[in-house]
Structure formats: C-alpha cells, structure tokens
Amino acid sequence: MYDRAHHRHTPVAPGGRGGRASPETERLLFLFPTHAGSLQSLSQPDPLPLSILAFQPFTGTSPAAALRAIAAATPADSPLVGPEWGWAAEGDDDPLAWRGVSRGGAGSSAVVDLSLADAAAVAFPPGALVALAPALTSLRLSCCGLAADSPALMADLAACTGLASLALDGNALPALPSSVAALPALASLYAGLNPMKSLGCALEGGAALALTSSLHTLDVAGCQLSSLPDAFTRLGRLTCLLANNNALRTLPAGFGALTALQRLS
C-alpha cells in the first residue's frame, strides 16, 4: 500500500487484508524488494505473495521524482525518513532541498552529491539511480543495509559514469559489485567493514585496468579478505590503501610497483 501523504510503502499483511506485517515479514520485504512471486515467510506456513509489493521500475528522468521514489521505497522505520533528515516530509517539499542532497548550483535540477549514510535501511527502485546518474559525482551509501540481494542498485551503479567518490562501507556486501569497474572517473572507493572474503571481479583482470587511471584511494579495512588479486598491482595511481583488520598474510607479487602509494595500513 502506498501512503501518498508520507511518500512511503506500508506493508500489506499476508492474505492481502491490509494492516501491519510481522517484523519478520517486513525484514523479508526489505531484503527482497524487487522480487515478485512468492516467498516462504519465516513466520507463516504459506508462501507470501510479493507481487503486490514488488517495486515498480522507475522510468522517469526527473531527479526530484527519483528521490521521491527512493523515499517511498525505503522502510518507514529507517532514519532516512525521520524528521532529522527531512525526507518525505509533510507538504511534499522540494526533494532537491532534502538533507543529504546537493544540487549542481542555484536553480539546478541536477543532483551532484547524494549522501544517505547511516540510513540503516534504504531501497532503490530499479532505474531510480539511473535518473540521478548524469550529474552525480559523489554517492555515499555507508551503513545503509545493502547486501548481495541489491542487484538492481548494483547494476544501476554502472550508469554513474561521472562518479568520483563512492562509499559502500558498513554494509553486508560479500564482494565489491562488478559495476564498480564500469566507473571510469572513480577516484575514491570506501568499502570497508563489509563481510567480503574477496574483492570479487571488480578489481580482477581487465576490470582493474578500467580503474588504473582514476583510483587513488581504496578503503577495504575491517573486511574478511585473505588475499588481494594480482591485478591489484595495476592500480598505478593508488596513493592510499587501507586494508588493516583483514586476514591478509601476503601481498601480491609486484606490489612494490605501486610507487605512488603514500599511505598504507
């Protein structure tokens, strides 16, 4: 159910009669926001139909409308929609003036900086990030509850070709999203405090080559990494590497080739 007054989804209880879903069900609805069909509930013996709650793809091009779609999809108990953020406030104020949103200048409708840090839980309808992508240079999604089941968001990241700074730290990502390798302007990547045992394909082989001319800061501290890929040594412009509090025992052969490195931990 969509609450137009507050621009958010209200979960519908199993059986389709309205009301509040159980906490377990609400957690499932957040974890699998884009999956239609049926899902076995943790608390109900019958499958829970998710088609009524599956997020519809955002097909518009307006950054303001995209921000409203994100606020509508985000769980109502997230700090993002609280009064301290100003998101989804009464009166339907200008989303480009919401806290955490920076536009490209006075009167501009373009979003250049979006910070949803510490939102605890945030959901992006498919296509919403694409609408923000043309001017976006900084995206901060620290501590936003992102996990492996955020495929739409991770795929949409590839559209943000002007992104220079990306923060994904403090989430539940098992690996770096492969779409990171499609960001030719990416200079700073913060991905620490994720349960990553590998960097995935984002920094391996030819993917690492895509970042050799741009990436200068990489934070993967506090993960569960046991090794770094050999292709890592191709990041010749890397000046800062934070990889402490992992399970690293060795460094890739040729690590000394990173002559631009100024800070290592």
PDB file of all heavy atoms in Angstrom, residues 63-99:
ATOM      1  N   PRO A  63      15.298  13.997 -11.572  1.00  0.00           N
ATOM      2  CA  PRO A  63      15.980  13.676 -10.312  1.00  0.00           C
ATOM      3  C   PRO A  63      15.068  13.825  -9.095  1.00  0.00           C
ATOM      4  O   PRO A  63      15.133  13.017  -8.164  1.00  0.00           O
ATOM      5  CB  PRO A  63      17.138  14.666 -10.278  1.00  0.00           C
ATOM      6  CG  PRO A  63      17.416  14.967 -11.725  1.00  0.00           C
ATOM      7  CD  PRO A  63      16.056  14.988 -12.358  1.00  0.00           C
ATOM      8  N   ALA A  64      14.217  14.845  -9.090  1.00  0.00           N
ATOM      9  CA  ALA A  64      13.329  15.048  -7.952  1.00  0.00           C
ATOM     10  C   ALA A  64      12.360  13.881  -7.814  1.00  0.00           C
ATOM     11  O   ALA A  64      12.108  13.384  -6.709  1.00  0.00           O
ATOM     12  CB  ALA A  64      12.558  16.360  -8.124  1.00  0.00           C
ATOM     13  N   ALA A  65      11.808  13.422  -8.932  1.00  0.00           N
ATOM     14  CA  ALA A  65      10.895  12.283  -8.891  1.00  0.00           C
ATOM     15  C   ALA A  65      11.627  11.017  -8.460  1.00  0.00           C
ATOM     16  O   ALA A  65      11.068  10.177  -7.743  1.00  0.00           O
ATOM     17  CB  ALA A  65      10.246  12.086 -10.254  1.00  0.00           C
ATOM     18  N   ALA A  66      12.881  10.870  -8.871  1.00  0.00           N
ATOM     19  CA  ALA A  66      13.665   9.701  -8.474  1.00  0.00           C
ATOM     20  C   ALA A  66      13.897   9.702  -6.963  1.00  0.00           C
ATOM     21  O   ALA A  66      13.817   8.654  -6.313  1.00  0.00           O
ATOM     22  CB  ALA A  66      15.001   9.691  -9.209  1.00  0.00           C
ATOM     23  N   LEU A  67      14.175  10.857  -6.392  1.00  0.00           N
ATOM     24  CA  LEU A  67      14.372  10.947  -4.944  1.00  0.00           C
ATOM     25  C   LEU A  67      13.088  10.592  -4.202  1.00  0.00           C
ATOM     26  O   LEU A  67      13.130   9.923  -3.166  1.00  0.00           O
ATOM     27  CB  LEU A  67      14.831  12.361  -4.574  1.00  0.00           C
ATOM     28  CG  LEU A  67      16.243  12.745  -5.033  1.00  0.00           C
ATOM     29  CD1 LEU A  67      16.484  14.228  -4.800  1.00  0.00           C
ATOM     30  CD2 LEU A  67      17.298  11.912  -4.319  1.00  0.00           C
ATOM     31  N   ARG A  68      11.949  11.037  -4.728  1.00  0.00           N
ATOM     32  CA  ARG A  68      10.680  10.672  -4.095  1.00  0.00           C
ATOM     33  C   ARG A  68      10.454   9.166  -4.164  1.00  0.00           C
ATOM     34  O   ARG A  68       9.927   8.564  -3.225  1.00  0.00           O
ATOM     35  CB  ARG A  68       9.523  11.416  -4.771  1.00  0.00           C
ATOM     36  CG  ARG A  68       9.469  12.910  -4.483  1.00  0.00           C
ATOM     37  CD  ARG A  68       8.128  13.501  -4.896  1.00  0.00           C
ATOM     38  NE  ARG A  68       8.108  14.934  -4.690  1.00  0.00           N
ATOM     39  CZ  ARG A  68       8.350  15.840  -5.626  1.00  0.00           C
ATOM     40  NH1 ARG A  68       8.650  15.431  -6.865  1.00  0.00           N
ATOM     41  NH2 ARG A  68       8.321  17.121  -5.369  1.00  0.00           N
ATOM     42  N   ALA A  69      10.846   8.552  -5.264  1.00  0.00           N
ATOM     43  CA  ALA A  69      10.675   7.111  -5.421  1.00  0.00           C
ATOM     44  C   ALA A  69      11.538   6.357  -4.418  1.00  0.00           C
ATOM     45  O   ALA A  69      11.115   5.344  -3.853  1.00  0.00           O
ATOM     46  CB  ALA A  69      11.022   6.693  -6.844  1.00  0.00           C
ATOM     47  N   ILE A  70      12.755   6.841  -4.187  1.00  0.00           N
ATOM     48  CA  ILE A  70      13.637   6.206  -3.206  1.00  0.00           C
ATOM     49  C   ILE A  70      13.044   6.339  -1.805  1.00  0.00           C
ATOM     50  O   ILE A  70      13.027   5.383  -1.022  1.00  0.00           O
ATOM     51  CB  ILE A  70      15.040   6.826  -3.260  1.00  0.00           C
ATOM     52  CG1 ILE A  70      15.693   6.555  -4.618  1.00  0.00           C
ATOM     53  CG2 ILE A  70      15.922   6.279  -2.134  1.00  0.00           C
ATOM     54  CD1 ILE A  70      16.961   7.353  -4.857  1.00  0.00           C
ATOM     55  N   ALA A  71      12.557   7.521  -1.477  1.00  0.00           N
ATOM     56  CA  ALA A  71      11.952   7.738  -0.157  1.00  0.00           C
ATOM     57  C   ALA A  71      10.717   6.871   0.018  1.00  0.00           C
ATOM     58  O   ALA A  71      10.456   6.352   1.105  1.00  0.00           O
ATOM     59  CB  ALA A  71      11.595   9.210   0.007  1.00  0.00           C
ATOM     60  N   ALA A  72       9.947   6.700  -1.061  1.00  0.00           N
ATOM     61  CA  ALA A  72       8.738   5.880  -0.976  1.00  0.00           C
ATOM     62  C   ALA A  72       9.071   4.416  -0.769  1.00  0.00           C
ATOM     63  O   ALA A  72       8.353   3.694  -0.075  1.00  0.00           O
ATOM     64  CB  ALA A  72       7.911   6.051  -2.258  1.00  0.00           C
ATOM     65  N   ALA A  73      10.156   3.948  -1.362  1.00  0.00           N
ATOM     66  CA  ALA A  73      10.528   2.534  -1.274  1.00  0.00           C
ATOM     67  C   ALA A  73      11.245   2.187   0.013  1.00  0.00           C
ATOM     68  O   ALA A  73      11.300   1.024   0.405  1.00  0.00           O
ATOM     69  CB  ALA A  73      11.412   2.173  -2.465  1.00  0.00           C
ATOM     70  N   THR A  74      11.799   3.181   0.687  1.00  0.00           N
ATOM     71  CA  THR A  74      12.579   2.946   1.896  1.00  0.00           C
ATOM     72  C   THR A  74      11.659   2.622   3.074  1.00  0.00           C
ATOM     73  O   THR A  74      10.631   3.277   3.246  1.00  0.00           O
ATOM     74  CB  THR A  74      13.439   4.178   2.217  1.00  0.00           C
ATOM     75  OG1 THR A  74      14.387   4.353   1.163  1.00  0.00           O
ATOM     76  CG2 THR A  74      14.181   4.014   3.524  1.00  0.00           C
ATOM     77  N   PRO A  75      11.994   1.605   3.871  1.00  0.00           N
ATOM     78  CA  PRO A  75      11.148   1.245   5.014  1.00  0.00           C
ATOM     79  C   PRO A  75      10.859   2.436   5.914  1.00  0.00           C
ATOM     80  O   PRO A  75      11.717   3.287   6.150  1.00  0.00           O
ATOM     81  CB  PRO A  75      11.994   0.188   5.746  1.00  0.00           C
ATOM     82  CG  PRO A  75      12.821  -0.422   4.663  1.00  0.00           C
ATOM     83  CD  PRO A  75      13.151   0.699   3.729  1.00  0.00           C
ATOM     84  N   ALA A  76       9.635   2.483   6.405  1.00  0.00           N
ATOM     85  CA  ALA A  76       9.177   3.637   7.177  1.00  0.00           C
ATOM     86  C   ALA A  76       9.956   3.858   8.459  1.00  0.00           C
ATOM     87  O   ALA A  76       9.992   4.975   8.983  1.00  0.00           O
ATOM     88  CB  ALA A  76       7.690   3.478   7.497  1.00  0.00           C
ATOM     89  N   ASP A  77      10.591   2.791   8.985  1.00  0.00           N
ATOM     90  CA  ASP A  77      11.318   2.949  10.247  1.00  0.00           C
ATOM     91  C   ASP A  77      12.788   3.298  10.030  1.00  0.00           C
ATOM     92  O   ASP A  77      13.561   3.354  10.978  1.00  0.00           O
ATOM     93  CB  ASP A  77      11.210   1.696  11.106  1.00  0.00           C
ATOM     94  CG  ASP A  77      11.722   0.441  10.400  1.00  0.00           C
ATOM     95  OD1 ASP A  77      12.065   0.540   9.199  1.00  0.00           O
ATOM     96  OD2 ASP A  77      11.769  -0.629  11.041  1.00  0.00           O
ATOM     97  N   SER A  78      13.184   3.548   8.809  1.00  0.00           N
ATOM     98  CA  SER A  78      14.559   3.959   8.550  1.00  0.00           C
ATOM     99  C   SER A  78      14.765   5.399   8.998  1.00  0.00           C
ATOM    100  O   SER A  78      13.887   6.244   8.806  1.00  0.00           O
ATOM    101  CB  SER A  78      14.870   3.847   7.049  1.00  0.00           C
ATOM    102  OG  SER A  78      16.102   4.467   6.755  1.00  0.00           O
ATOM    103  N   PRO A  79      15.922   5.719   9.595  1.00  0.00           N
ATOM    104  CA  PRO A  79      16.188   7.110   9.966  1.00  0.00           C
ATOM    105  C   PRO A  79      16.121   8.070   8.774  1.00  0.00           C
ATOM    106  O   PRO A  79      15.942   9.256   8.945  1.00  0.00           O
ATOM    107  CB  PRO A  79      17.614   7.049  10.534  1.00  0.00           C
ATOM    108  CG  PRO A  79      17.783   5.643  10.984  1.00  0.00           C
ATOM    109  CD  PRO A  79      17.000   4.811  10.010  1.00  0.00           C
ATOM    110  N   LEU A  80      16.253   7.505   7.570  1.00  0.00           N
ATOM    111  CA  LEU A  80      16.231   8.337   6.377  1.00  0.00           C
ATOM    112  C   LEU A  80      14.939   9.129   6.259  1.00  0.00           C
ATOM    113  O   LEU A  80      14.933  10.254   5.784  1.00  0.00           O
ATOM    114  CB  LEU A  80      16.410   7.461   5.135  1.00  0.00           C
ATOM    115  CG  LEU A  80      16.326   8.137   3.767  1.00  0.00           C
ATOM    116  CD1 LEU A  80      17.451   9.149   3.619  1.00  0.00           C
ATOM    117  CD2 LEU A  80      16.380   7.110   2.657  1.00  0.00           C
ATOM    118  N   VAL A  81      13.829   8.531   6.679  1.00  0.00           N
ATOM    119  CA  VAL A  81      12.547   9.203   6.543  1.00  0.00           C
ATOM    120  C   VAL A  81      12.123   9.894   7.840  1.00  0.00           C
ATOM    121  O   VAL A  81      10.990  10.320   7.984  1.00  0.00           O
ATOM    122  CB  VAL A  81      11.449   8.217   6.099  1.00  0.00           C
ATOM    123  CG1 VAL A  81      11.720   7.722   4.702  1.00  0.00           C
ATOM    124  CG2 VAL A  81      11.335   7.050   7.065  1.00  0.00           C
ATOM    125  N   GLY A  82      13.048   9.982   8.770  1.00  0.00           N
ATOM    126  CA  GLY A  82      12.758  10.673  10.021  1.00  0.00           C
ATOM    127  C   GLY A  82      12.831  12.184   9.864  1.00  0.00           C
ATOM    128  O   GLY A  82      13.335  12.704   8.870  1.00  0.00           O
ATOM    129  N   PRO A  83      12.327  12.919  10.842  1.00  0.00           N
ATOM    130  CA  PRO A  83      12.297  14.384  10.738  1.00  0.00           C
ATOM    131  C   PRO A  83      13.671  15.026  10.669  1.00  0.00           C
ATOM    132  O   PRO A  83      13.823  16.104  10.111  1.00  0.00           O
ATOM    133  CB  PRO A  83      11.547  14.806  12.018  1.00  0.00           C
ATOM    134  CG  PRO A  83      11.711  13.649  12.960  1.00  0.00           C
ATOM    135  CD  PRO A  83      11.724  12.430  12.090  1.00  0.00           C
ATOM    136  N   GLU A  84      14.694  14.349  11.215  1.00  0.00           N
ATOM    137  CA  GLU A  84      16.024  14.947  11.186  1.00  0.00           C
ATOM    138  C   GLU A  84      16.607  14.958   9.778  1.00  0.00           C
ATOM    139  O   GLU A  84      17.529  15.719   9.488  1.00  0.00           O
ATOM    140  CB  GLU A  84      16.964  14.208  12.144  1.00  0.00           C
ATOM    141  CG  GLU A  84      17.328  12.797  11.736  1.00  0.00           C
ATOM    142  CD  GLU A  84      16.317  11.762  12.200  1.00  0.00           C
ATOM    143  OE1 GLU A  84      15.186  12.150  12.525  1.00  0.00           O
ATOM    144  OE2 GLU A  84      16.669  10.570  12.214  1.00  0.00           O
ATOM    145  N   TRP A  85      16.072  14.106   8.923  1.00  0.00           N
ATOM    146  CA  TRP A  85      16.551  14.087   7.539  1.00  0.00           C
ATOM    147  C   TRP A  85      15.724  15.006   6.655  1.00  0.00           C
ATOM    148  O   TRP A  85      16.212  15.582   5.704  1.00  0.00           O
ATOM    149  CB  TRP A  85      16.493  12.660   6.979  1.00  0.00           C
ATOM    150  CG  TRP A  85      17.694  11.866   7.343  1.00  0.00           C
ATOM    151  CD1 TRP A  85      17.872  11.118   8.473  1.00  0.00           C
ATOM    152  CD2 TRP A  85      18.911  11.756   6.617  1.00  0.00           C
ATOM    153  NE1 TRP A  85      19.111  10.542   8.480  1.00  0.00           N
ATOM    154  CE2 TRP A  85      19.766  10.915   7.354  1.00  0.00           C
ATOM    155  CE3 TRP A  85      19.359  12.271   5.411  1.00  0.00           C
ATOM    156  CZ2 TRP A  85      21.054  10.591   6.924  1.00  0.00           C
ATOM    157  CZ3 TRP A  85      20.634  11.933   4.982  1.00  0.00           C
ATOM    158  CH2 TRP A  85      21.456  11.109   5.745  1.00  0.00           C
ATOM    159  N   GLY A  86      14.447  15.108   6.952  1.00  0.00           N
ATOM    160  CA  GLY A  86      13.591  15.943   6.117  1.00  0.00           C
ATOM    161  C   GLY A  86      13.096  15.221   4.883  1.00  0.00           C
ATOM    162  O   GLY A  86      12.400  15.801   4.057  1.00  0.00           O
ATOM    163  N   TRP A  87      13.416  13.938   4.756  1.00  0.00           N
ATOM    164  CA  TRP A  87      12.920  13.165   3.626  1.00  0.00           C
ATOM    165  C   TRP A  87      11.441  12.869   3.827  1.00  0.00           C
ATOM    166  O   TRP A  87      10.992  12.590   4.925  1.00  0.00           O
ATOM    167  CB  TRP A  87      13.675  11.856   3.522  1.00  0.00           C
ATOM    168  CG  TRP A  87      14.982  11.960   2.830  1.00  0.00           C
ATOM    169  CD1 TRP A  87      16.088  12.632   3.284  1.00  0.00           C
ATOM    170  CD2 TRP A  87      15.334  11.411   1.575  1.00  0.00           C
ATOM    171  NE1 TRP A  87      17.101  12.519   2.376  1.00  0.00           N
ATOM    172  CE2 TRP A  87      16.675  11.774   1.318  1.00  0.00           C
ATOM    173  CE3 TRP A  87      14.660  10.640   0.637  1.00  0.00           C
ATOM    174  CZ2 TRP A  87      17.338  11.395   0.159  1.00  0.00           C
ATOM    175  CZ3 TRP A  87      15.331  10.256  -0.507  1.00  0.00           C
ATOM    176  CH2 TRP A  87      16.646  10.632  -0.746  1.00  0.00           C
ATOM    177  N   ALA A  88      10.698  12.923   2.721  1.00  0.00           N
ATOM    178  CA  ALA A  88       9.285  12.574   2.739  1.00  0.00           C
ATOM    179  C   ALA A  88       8.516  13.365   3.790  1.00  0.00           C
ATOM    180  O   ALA A  88       7.626  12.866   4.442  1.00  0.00           O
ATOM    181  CB  ALA A  88       9.107  11.072   2.978  1.00  0.00           C
ATOM    182  N   ALA A  89       8.864  14.619   3.941  1.00  0.00           N
ATOM    183  CA  ALA A  89       8.229  15.453   4.951  1.00  0.00           C
ATOM    184  C   ALA A  89       6.822  15.857   4.519  1.00  0.00           C
ATOM    185  O   ALA A  89       6.470  15.844   3.350  1.00  0.00           O
ATOM    186  CB  ALA A  89       9.061  16.708   5.199  1.00  0.00           C
ATOM    187  N   GLU A  90       6.001  16.221   5.475  1.00  0.00           N
ATOM    188  CA  GLU A  90       4.667  16.711   5.161  1.00  0.00           C
ATOM    189  C   GLU A  90       4.762  17.946   4.270  1.00  0.00           C
ATOM    190  O   GLU A  90       5.662  18.774   4.416  1.00  0.00           O
ATOM    191  CB  GLU A  90       3.934  17.079   6.467  1.00  0.00           C
ATOM    192  CG  GLU A  90       3.536  15.881   7.315  1.00  0.00           C
ATOM    193  CD  GLU A  90       2.376  15.113   6.731  1.00  0.00           C
ATOM    194  OE1 GLU A  90       1.758  15.626   5.784  1.00  0.00           O
ATOM    195  OE2 GLU A  90       2.101  13.994   7.200  1.00  0.00           O
ATOM    196  N   GLY A  91       3.842  18.068   3.360  1.00  0.00           N
ATOM    197  CA  GLY A  91       3.841  19.232   2.484  1.00  0.00           C
ATOM    198  C   GLY A  91       4.559  18.985   1.175  1.00  0.00           C
ATOM    199  O   GLY A  91       4.576  19.832   0.292  1.00  0.00           O
ATOM    200  N   ASP A  92       5.165  17.794   1.023  1.00  0.00           N
ATOM    201  CA  ASP A  92       5.822  17.431  -0.224  1.00  0.00           C
ATOM    202  C   ASP A  92       6.805  18.515  -0.661  1.00  0.00           C
ATOM    203  O   ASP A  92       6.719  19.058  -1.752  1.00  0.00           O
ATOM    204  CB  ASP A  92       4.757  17.190  -1.312  1.00  0.00           C
ATOM    205  CG  ASP A  92       5.358  16.495  -2.530  1.00  0.00           C
ATOM    206  OD1 ASP A  92       6.444  15.906  -2.412  1.00  0.00           O
ATOM    207  OD2 ASP A  92       4.733  16.561  -3.589  1.00  0.00           O
ATOM    208  N   ASP A  93       7.743  18.854   0.213  1.00  0.00           N
ATOM    209  CA  ASP A  93       8.704  19.905  -0.099  1.00  0.00           C
ATOM    210  C   ASP A  93       9.639  19.450  -1.218  1.00  0.00           C
ATOM    211  O   ASP A  93       9.629  18.306  -1.628  1.00  0.00           O
ATOM    212  CB  ASP A  93       9.503  20.314   1.139  1.00  0.00           C
ATOM    213  CG  ASP A  93      10.272  19.145   1.748  1.00  0.00           C
ATOM    214  OD1 ASP A  93       9.936  17.982   1.443  1.00  0.00           O
ATOM    215  OD2 ASP A  93      11.188  19.403   2.529  1.00  0.00           O
ATOM    216  N   ASP A  94      10.442  20.331  -1.694  1.00  0.00           N
ATOM    217  CA  ASP A  94      11.319  20.079  -2.832  1.00  0.00           C
ATOM    218  C   ASP A  94      12.364  19.020  -2.475  1.00  0.00           C
ATOM    219  O   ASP A  94      13.205  19.248  -1.613  1.00  0.00           O
ATOM    220  CB  ASP A  94      11.995  21.396  -3.229  1.00  0.00           C
ATOM    221  CG  ASP A  94      12.933  21.230  -4.417  1.00  0.00           C
ATOM    222  OD1 ASP A  94      12.935  20.154  -5.031  1.00  0.00           O
ATOM    223  OD2 ASP A  94      13.651  22.196  -4.718  1.00  0.00           O
ATOM    224  N   PRO A  95      12.364  17.860  -3.111  1.00  0.00           N
ATOM    225  CA  PRO A  95      13.352  16.824  -2.793  1.00  0.00           C
ATOM    226  C   PRO A  95      14.785  17.286  -3.008  1.00  0.00           C
ATOM    227  O   PRO A  95      15.699  16.784  -2.350  1.00  0.00           O
ATOM    228  CB  PRO A  95      12.985  15.692  -3.762  1.00  0.00           C
ATOM    229  CG  PRO A  95      11.561  15.917  -4.102  1.00  0.00           C
ATOM    230  CD  PRO A  95      11.388  17.411  -4.110  1.00  0.00           C
ATOM    231  N   LEU A  96      15.000  18.233  -3.905  1.00  0.00           N
ATOM    232  CA  LEU A  96      16.355  18.713  -4.154  1.00  0.00           C
ATOM    233  C   LEU A  96      16.893  19.540  -2.988  1.00  0.00           C
ATOM    234  O   LEU A  96      18.080  19.859  -2.952  1.00  0.00           O
ATOM    235  CB  LEU A  96      16.397  19.528  -5.441  1.00  0.00           C
ATOM    236  CG  LEU A  96      16.041  18.749  -6.715  1.00  0.00           C
ATOM    237  CD1 LEU A  96      16.007  19.677  -7.909  1.00  0.00           C
ATOM    238  CD2 LEU A  96      17.037  17.622  -6.950  1.00  0.00           C
ATOM    239  N   ALA A  97      16.007  19.863  -2.053  1.00  0.00           N
ATOM    240  CA  ALA A  97      16.423  20.595  -0.856  1.00  0.00           C
ATOM    241  C   ALA A  97      16.521  19.685   0.359  1.00  0.00           C
ATOM    242  O   ALA A  97      16.851  20.157   1.448  1.00  0.00           O
ATOM    243  CB  ALA A  97      15.433  21.729  -0.571  1.00  0.00           C
ATOM    244  N   TRP A  98      16.261  18.388   0.183  1.00  0.00           N
ATOM    245  CA  TRP A  98      16.348  17.461   1.302  1.00  0.00           C
ATOM    246  C   TRP A  98      17.785  17.348   1.784  1.00  0.00           C
ATOM    247  O   TRP A  98      18.732  17.478   1.007  1.00  0.00           O
ATOM    248  CB  TRP A  98      15.854  16.080   0.887  1.00  0.00           C
ATOM    249  CG  TRP A  98      14.370  15.995   0.720  1.00  0.00           C
ATOM    250  CD1 TRP A  98      13.441  16.908   1.106  1.00  0.00           C
ATOM    251  CD2 TRP A  98      13.642  14.929   0.108  1.00  0.00           C
ATOM    252  NE1 TRP A  98      12.186  16.485   0.779  1.00  0.00           N
ATOM    253  CE2 TRP A  98      12.274  15.280   0.165  1.00  0.00           C
ATOM    254  CE3 TRP A  98      14.013  13.722  -0.486  1.00  0.00           C
ATOM    255  CZ2 TRP A  98      11.271  14.445  -0.341  1.00  0.00           C
ATOM    256  CZ3 TRP A  98      13.017  12.896  -0.986  1.00  0.00           C
ATOM    257  CH2 TRP A  98      11.667  13.248  -0.912  1.00  0.00           C
ATOM    258  N   ARG A  99      17.925  17.128   3.068  1.00  0.00           N
ATOM    259  CA  ARG A  99      19.250  16.945   3.641  1.00  0.00           C
ATOM    260  C   ARG A  99      19.913  15.725   3.010  1.00  0.00           C
ATOM    261  O   ARG A  99      19.288  14.686   2.824  1.00  0.00           O
ATOM    262  CB  ARG A  99      19.136  16.754   5.154  1.00  0.00           C
ATOM    263  CG  ARG A  99      20.470  16.573   5.844  1.00  0.00           C
ATOM    264  CD  ARG A  99      20.275  16.386   7.341  1.00  0.00           C
ATOM    265  NE  ARG A  99      21.530  16.038   7.989  1.00  0.00           N
ATOM    266  CZ  ARG A  99      21.642  15.694   9.264  1.00  0.00           C
ATOM    267  NH1 ARG A  99      20.566  15.647  10.018  1.00  0.00           N
ATOM    268  NH2 ARG A  99      22.809  15.405   9.786  1.00  0.00           N
TER     269      ARG A  99
END
